[in-house]
């Protein structure tokens, strides 16, 4: 699964804040498939899912039979390089690293773009349960 942002409806245009939905990306993996075919299949399935991204995650969960662990166990997120400091005339706000890393999923990969835009760094988190 992954997070998707956006304002799919015109009625949301005047709202302030970030609107994010969780998108389940479910793919069947054929163990005998060539890697290139697997990547192509995942791409097709994911693009189809992004076409339905305006359906609320909670609505999908409610419509399906109960399943332990939710709709997916692995989450991937791609984040642009975060601005670490913001300054106004009499106020400076900066990031504070809490040192606490948690995930709600079995496995989470967060990719962050490099400051120069020429690479990615990744952070893997896993549930100790």
């Amino acid at each position: 699964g992954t997070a998707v942002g956006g304002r799919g409806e015109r009625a949301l245009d005047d709202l302030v804040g970030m609107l994010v939905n969780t998108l389940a990306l479910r793919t069947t993996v054929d163990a005998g498939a060539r890697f290139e075919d697997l990547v192509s299949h995942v791409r097709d399935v994911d693009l189809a899912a992004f076409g339905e991204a305006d359906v609320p995650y909670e609505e999908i969960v409610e419509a399906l039979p109960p399943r332990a662990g939710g709709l997916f166990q692995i989450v991937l997120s791609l984040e642009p390089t975060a601005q670490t400091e913001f300054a106004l005339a009499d106020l400076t706000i900066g990031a504070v690293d809490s040192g606490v890393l948690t995930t709600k999923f079995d496995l989470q990969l967060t990719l962050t773009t490099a400051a120069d835009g020429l690479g990615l760094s990744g952070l893997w988190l896993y549930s100790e349960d």
Side-chain angles (χ1 to χ4, degrees):
T2 192
V4 291
R7 299 171 183 267
E9 297 182 29
R10 194 171 234 4
L12 302 175
D13 288 349
D14 293 332
L15 289 177
V16 175
M18 191 167 103
L19 302 178
V20 178
N21 191 18
T22 303
L23 182 62
L25 303 171
R26 298 188 54 140
T27 304
T28 303
V29 177
D30 176 5
R34 295 179 326 136
F35 180 75
E36 294 86 1
D37 295 335
L38 174 62
V39 170
S40 178
H41 174 68
V42 168
R43 179 183 184 277
D44 293 343
V45 169
D46 289 358
L47 287 175
F50 277 100
E52 304 294 331
D54 57 338
V55 178
Y57 178 77
E58 294 78 14
E59 204 173 289
I60 295 170
V61 171
E62 289 174 8
L64 296 174
R67 175 187 156 121
L71 293 179
F72 51 87
Q73 293 79 36
I74 300 171
V75 69
L76 167 68
S77 64
L78 176 61
E79 300 175 358
T81 301
Q83 183 177 359
T84 58
E85 190 171 288
F86 177 76
L88 298 173
D90 297 322
L91 176 68
T92 300
I93 300 171
V96 175
D97 184 3
S98 70
V100 178
L101 300 174
T102 62
T103 182
K104 298 177 187 177
F105 305 96
D106 290 348
L107 185 63
Q108 178 176 337
L109 173 59
T110 303
L111 298 172
T112 306
T113 56
D116 61 7
L118 298 176
L120 295 172
S121 61
L123 174 66
W124 287 97
L125 295 175
Y126 62 92
S127 171
E128 292 182 0
D129 293 342

